[in-house]
Amino acid sequence: MHQTPTAPRTQAPAPMLRRSLRNRHVTMIALGGVIGAGLFVSSGAVLNSVGPGAWFSYLLSGTLMALVMRAIGEMAVLLPQARGLADYARIGLGHWAGFSVGWMYWYFWVIVAAVEAIAGANIITAFWPQLPTWQVCLGLIVVMTGINLASVKAYAEAEFWLASLKVTAIIAFVVAGFAFLMGWLGRPSPGLGVIRDHGGLLPLGLGAAIVGSVTVLFSFSGAEIATVAAAESEDPPRYAARATRQVTYRIVLFYLTSIAVIACIVPWDLPMSGERVRSPFAVVLGIIGIPHAETIMQIVVLTAVLSSLNSCLYLTSRVMFSLAAHGDAPQRLVRVTRRGVPARSILLATVFSYLSVAANYFFPEQVFLFLINSSGAICLVYYLILMLAQLRVRRRAEADGTAVRMRMWGHPWLSRAVIAWICAVLVFMAVWPATRAQFWLSALSVAVVFAAYAVGGGAGPGGAPAGRPRPGGGAPSRALWYGCVFVRPS
């Protein structure tokens, strides 16, 4: 018999974040979260390893992410008092889940922030090689930190324009590629000849496309940022629901159409990875005859990188703010400035970004590689916990007679299918040589988070003993039980 869930306890009413974001901000933040630098760059490596069937890889992973986002959207509507992903997990499964999701989410995006800063510096130094890479890294982090410290609206405006450039670039690319394939640009159209003459749609077999979907899946991480930003909007539940509802068509518009255009124009066996990474978008523009295609795409990729770095600092600060509000991080981090900005949480994330960049400079093949691998599969773990939480939240809502205005599709069977799907991906990563190290190092990071909760994470606000029952109940070890039966019976 489970305890009736209540709002998580806090020591005192936490300072409130400003609800100053407008619909256009949340919408464009959601768009920017879906489109990462990986689409512009790593899609070439996927095409080389899978063939034109990369479209199927993106379809599989995009479907999984759309289902996860639908589940998150349902919880956003049912739990208007929640501040974000960690709160959904906390209310659904207990304090251990909120603690775990919060810290895993924070760790994942702190590492991503460092990766994006380094990637941005590499692009800039390619134009100006006289600039030291580490100084450019430092400058990018300082600029984005300043934007986030100014106000949430400053972050949102920066993200609005950066995301607008990414969206415009992709739409222009798809339109130009389609016009070329239709023969409207004065050049002979290849039709489907590129695919037909290079082994067909699946030259390496369906298995390669399924394997490729595992790699592709990480390109979609970050799509949930809109639910975090919605907490600082005029109407959090409505904006969060709208953003998650729109993820599906964004995946179709930005990913599937782009990959289809690339596969029809660029031979899949044209090297685009290895020693010299080439953006397939730049290759397409070059074939079409667009001058300075490489330079144009470098600028677009830089825009995507800066957008991601900006969002990383925002995400990590808000997650840390939520952790502190629930007593899972130092209480000093819950303080906000007069503009409603959790400045200390932002600066903490920045410090770890500096340390990660330093690790890359001094130990690029050791410490930094360890950090990247130790965070690689973490996003799948917190998505898994969120899906388990959705089953519990939905079950309680139905038991209480609460109207479910935004429903998870095919509940509960699709929710359970997603859980099984994520578990299968994790098992595959554990045995596949290319991802084995990433999986086990990520498993070590997850184990550290669970151990931290078992040792002192249950102390909560005011120093309550770790063994004290929590709203929703539960201990980390029960995760195995949840994973076996998908949902604990009422």
Side-chain angles (χ1 to χ4, degrees), residues 255-404:
Y255 280 87
L256 298 186
T257 55
S258 297
I259 298 303
V261 167
I262 293 169
C264 289
I265 297 177
V266 181
W268 70 271
D269 49 2
L270 178 69
M272 288 178 283
S273 59
E275 293 184 3
R276 184 173 181 267
V277 178
R278 302 174 66 191
S279 169
F281 287 74
V283 175
V284 169
L285 294 180
I287 293 174
I288 292 176
I290 305 296
H292 310 295
E294 290 281 354
T295 301
I296 292 172
M297 286 313 305
Q298 285 286 75
I299 294 173
V300 172
V301 172
L302 178 60
T303 300
V305 165
L306 294 179
S307 170
S308 180
L309 177 57
N310 190 34
S311 293
C312 284
L313 294 177
Y314 174 80
L315 282 171
T316 52
S317 65
R318 269 48 180 188
V319 170
M320 185 57 66
F321 176 85
S322 178
L323 286 169
H326 291 289
D328 295 330
Q331 288 293 293
R332 291 182 177 182
L333 296 173
V334 84
R335 297 179 183 175
V336 298
T337 65
R338 287 180 296 177
R339 297 189 177 187
V341 175
R344 295 183 179 185
S345 295
I346 294 173
L347 293 174
L348 178 63
T350 303
V351 168
F352 275 82
S353 295
Y354 293 147
L355 293 175
S356 297
V357 170
N360 176 69
Y361 181 79
F362 291 106
F363 312 102
E365 299 300 327
Q366 300 165 10
V367 178
F368 192 68
L369 183 61
F370 171 83
L371 291 174
I372 293 175
N373 285 334
S374 66
S375 65
I378 283 181
C379 63
L380 292 177
V381 178
Y382 61 68
Y383 285 147
L384 176 62
I385 295 175
L386 288 169
M387 292 305 303
L388 293 168
Q390 181 267 329
L391 285 170
R392 293 291 299 277
V393 170
R394 175 67 174 270
R395 175 171 294 213
R396 290 169 179 166
E398 292 176 343
D400 296 338
T402 304
V404 184

Side-chain angles (χ1 to χ4, degrees), residues 68 71-72 75 85-86 88-102 104-105 378-393 418-419 422-423 426 446 449-450 476 479-480 482-483 486:
V68 171
I72 291 174
M75 289 190 288
L85 302 182
Y88 302 153
R90 180 178 287 105
I91 296 172
L93 299 177
H95 186 70
W96 73 268
F99 178 96
S100 303
V101 168
M104 284 190 284
Y105 200 77
I378 283 181
C379 63
L380 292 177
V381 178
Y382 61 68
Y383 285 147
L384 176 62
I385 295 175
L386 288 169
M387 292 305 303
L388 293 168
Q390 181 267 329
L391 285 170
R392 293 291 299 277
V393 170
V418 170
I419 291 169
I422 294 175
C423 290
L426 288 171
V446 172
V449 171
F450 282 137
L480 297 177
Y482 291 132
F486 294 153

Side-chain angles (χ1 to χ4, degrees), residues 81-150:
Q81 76 275 24
R83 292 190 181 107
L85 302 182
D87 276 4
Y88 302 153
R90 180 178 287 105
I91 296 172
L93 299 177
H95 186 70
W96 73 268
F99 178 96
S100 303
V101 168
W103 278 107
M104 284 190 284
Y105 200 77
W106 184 85
Y107 180 66
F108 179 84
W109 288 105
V110 162
I111 302 303
V112 172
V115 172
E116 298 294 2
I118 294 167
N122 288 334
I123 294 172
I124 292 174
T125 53
F127 289 103
W128 294 285
Q130 68 275 17
L131 296 175
T133 303
W134 71 269
Q135 291 184 5
V136 178
C137 274
L138 178 65
L140 292 178
I141 295 174
V142 168
V143 170
M144 291 304 169
T145 301
I147 290 173
N148 278 267
L149 286 174

